[in-house]
Structures are given as C-alpha cells and as structure tokens.
Amino acid sequence: MTTAVLPRRRIGTSELEASALSLGSWHTFDRMDFADAVTMVRHALDQGVNLFDVGVYGLPGKPPVFTDVLWGAIMRAAAVPRDSYLASVKLWIEAFDGEGFAPQLKNAFLRTGLDHADLVILGDLRREDVALEDLVGDLSTLIEAGLIRAWGVNNWSAGNIHALRRIAAERGVPGPQIAQLKYSLARRAIPDGEPFAELFAAGLSMQSSDVLEGGILAGRTSPEREIGRDPGSVRDAIIATVPGITELAGELGTTPAQLAVAFTLTHPANATTLVGATRLEQVRQNIAALDVVERVGAEQLRSLVEPFWVDRGIVDPEGP
C-alpha cells in the first residue's frame, strides 16, 4: 500500500483525524466520466486524502443531482474499505422537524451506501424557529445510536457556535467540533477575525471551503456553473485581484490555484481544506500546494497575499 503523504490534523477534541486536504462532491462527480472519477479518487486516497464531503445537494424545483450517489458507486468500484476513510454528510436546518435529522441522514445513507457518517455538518442557520437545544439534543441521540461520530456547522456566527458549545457542556454531551467556513486569499474576514479566534483557542477546528471562489481565484473569472453565495457582495472586487494573484503565483513558481489552496493551509486552526476536482491533474496540483507552504513558509506566504484580502472591513467577523 502507498504511504500517505498528506499530514493529518485532529478535528476539534474528537477522535477523528482528517487529512490536510478533503475532497468535496458538489457539482463534481456528475460532470465526470465514471472510470476517470474512480481513478481520481483512488489516487487521492493513495496520497493520503481520507475525508470526503458527500452532502445531498438536490433542491425542490431544481434539476436532480446525483453526485453523492455516484460517489458511493465510485468508492465501491475502487474497493475502498470503510474504515480507511471519513465521510462527512451535510444536514439541512430547513428540513429539521419533529423527527429531527434522522430522515435526512437515512436518505443520505440510501443514496451513498453509507451505514454511518463520521462527521455531519449542519447547513446555514436561516430559521429563527429552531431551538439550538433541540439541535444539540438530536445530534447527541444520533451519536449514541452510532449513526454519527462528530458534528460541526457551516457558516454559522461565532455567537451561535458559542451557544451550541455552552448547551452541550451543560448537558454533558458532545458539542460542535468544526466550523466549515468560506476562507480564501480574498475572503478572510470571518476566519481571521477575533470572534472566531476565541473559538479556535477553545479547541474548535476549521474546515476551509470555497477556497477558489468557484474557480475565480484559479483564473476562471466567468464561472459557468453555480458557485457559492457572496457575503458582502465582494465578488467583483475578488475578480479584480486575479491578475495580481496570477503575477505573484508566477513569481513563486506555482499556479494561482495552488497559491490559493496553500494559503488556507497556513491557518493554525485549519484541520482540513475542502477542494473539488473533476480531473486527476487537479488533485495532483492541490496536493502539491503543501510544497508551496513548505518552500515559501507560512508567515511569508500570508504576508505576500495580504494585498488580496478583499472583505476586510466589509464583512462582520462575527459571521452571519
């Protein structure tokens, strides 16, 4: 078996250790040849990638999405032992009801072939009629049942995460271990702000996501596919940074995409950086971003990309 080359970092205070890079499934596997996808995932595993984000992303009224179903078939085709990787499943607050998260989890397991999720990430908190106590209680029940091992949140405010941690501590049950946050060369205000610094100091981990801004920071300034939300309405300003980022990448002997991924790896609380890929070469390039950090140095890298921080003073560091 190939020796893993990617370092691993603990997720919060849980028993889970994630590879420095994790592989997402949003709009990826449903755009690939199946055999190519199997080859790509097998290579990622051989290089040490052990965390896969396999959320169910279909929305009512939208075209059906099967990327998570395909991921399950890919893992079976690659003959990957279940105990050799971690699966992270998204759960949506919009669908939380009297039955809790169990129906969503059951559907995710049906589509992926999983029998448990190592990690679940709660989607954005957009409802005001859901009690945080109910969320913590339901997730505790799922842990006790062996259906999940740890949980975290996606783009929640620091204040709400503090509240979750307080409720969990009072009840003596596991609280959130990780926050999946938008983090990139240009979009840094929340993860690099004081409110989250306090949470990170208390043991919360981060998973960097949307690190290429839908491909924009890799030089694709007119994305054809759906990309993430734009807090602060700074996307045009981000596009304007691309020539400078491209120039700096050239000076450092790397690519804009590698520079963007490398930057996220310099954050001390970042347990893993979530990347998407539809080609084997993209996986190889993403993994090579670790060499950029090693060669340039974390502090020097952060200093060099400082001019490209677009959302500073625009987006509240407290978070949504």
Side-chain angles (χ1 to χ4, degrees):
M1 177 175 292
T2 303
T3 302
V5 298
L6 288 178
R8 294 185 178 180
R9 298 175 179 173
R10 187 169 300 280
I11 295 178
T13 57
S14 75
E15 63 181 7
L16 305 180
E17 291 189 347
S19 49
L21 297 180
S22 43
L23 195 61
S25 64
W26 193 42
H27 297 297
T28 53
F29 300 121
D30 47 3
R31 294 189 290 134
M32 295 185 67
D33 174 81
F34 183 77
D36 290 344
V38 173
T39 299
M40 184 185 78
V41 168
R42 182 70 267 175
H43 177 78
L45 286 156
D46 288 344
Q47 295 303 303
V49 173
N50 78 326
L51 177 59
F52 295 84
D53 181 308
V54 288
V56 181
Y57 295 107
L59 294 173
K62 297 276 188 171
V65 177
F66 299 104
T67 189
D68 54 324
V69 178
L70 288 166
W71 173 83
I74 289 164
M75 300 303 274
R76 290 190 292 273
V80 185
R82 180 61 183 91
D83 61 1
S84 67
Y85 66 88
L86 305 176
S88 176
V89 172
K90 279 284 191 344
L91 297 176
W92 308 106
I93 305 297
E94 290 85 347
F96 184 81
D97 56 20
E99 296 184 79
F101 287 119
Q104 289 187 59
L105 203 56
K106 180 180 179 181
N107 182 50
F109 291 170
L110 172 68
R111 292 171 64 90
T112 60
L114 294 167
D115 61 0
H116 73 278
D118 300 286
L119 183 66
V120 293
I121 302 293
L122 307 191
D124 298 32
L125 183 61
R126 299 190 181 100
R127 288 173 58 183
E128 297 182 357
D129 62 335
V130 174
L132 300 185
E133 290 82 359
D134 292 341
L135 301 179
V136 172
D138 190 66
L139 291 161
S140 175
T141 299
L142 295 176
I143 290 175
E144 290 176 359
L147 297 175
I148 69 175
R149 297 172 64 191
W151 61 279
V153 296
N154 175 70
N155 294 325
W156 282 43
S157 70
N160 280 323
I161 297 174
H162 274 298
L164 291 171
R165 289 170 61 87
R166 182 176 63 252
I167 293 165
E170 290 171 352
R171 296 186 176 190
V173 299
Q177 299 292 338
I178 193 167
Q180 188 181 96
L181 299 173
K182 289 176 177 288
Y183 192 49
S184 71
L185 295 169
R187 204 183 286 279
R188 300 170 49 181
I190 294 173
D192 282 350
E194 285 301 317
F196 271 89
E198 183 180 344
L199 283 165
F200 296 145
L204 186 77
S205 291
M206 177 172 75
Q207 181 179 41
S208 297
S209 69
D210 208 9
V211 302
L212 296 181
E213 193 72 19
I216 291 172
L217 294 177
R220 298 186 292 276
T221 55
S222 299
E224 297 179 355
R225 64 177 179 84
E226 181 182 358
I227 61 177
R229 293 184 300 110
D230 181 17
S233 300
V234 296
R235 189 155 286 148
D236 287 343
I238 291 175
I239 291 172
T241 68
V242 171
I245 291 171
T246 302
E247 181 179 356
L248 176 61
E251 293 172 359
L252 296 176
T254 187
T255 68
Q258 283 180 320
L259 180 61
V261 172
F263 164 74
T264 67
L265 300 173
T266 66
H267 194 294
N270 188 55
T272 183
T273 293
L274 181 61
V275 295
T278 55
R279 294 182 292 108
L280 175 60
E281 183 57 27
Q282 288 176 324
V283 172
R284 289 177 172 146
Q285 290 293 315
N286 287 335
I287 291 174
L290 277 80
D291 295 331
V292 177
V293 180
E294 181 70 20
R295 180 163 49 83
V296 178
E299 290 188 13
Q300 175 70 356
L301 185 58
R302 293 183 73 85
S303 175
L304 289 170
V305 302
E306 189 80 7
F308 308 122
W309 184 350
V310 166
D311 70 343
R312 178 163 43 187
I314 297 174
V315 171
D316 185 353
E318 165 68 17

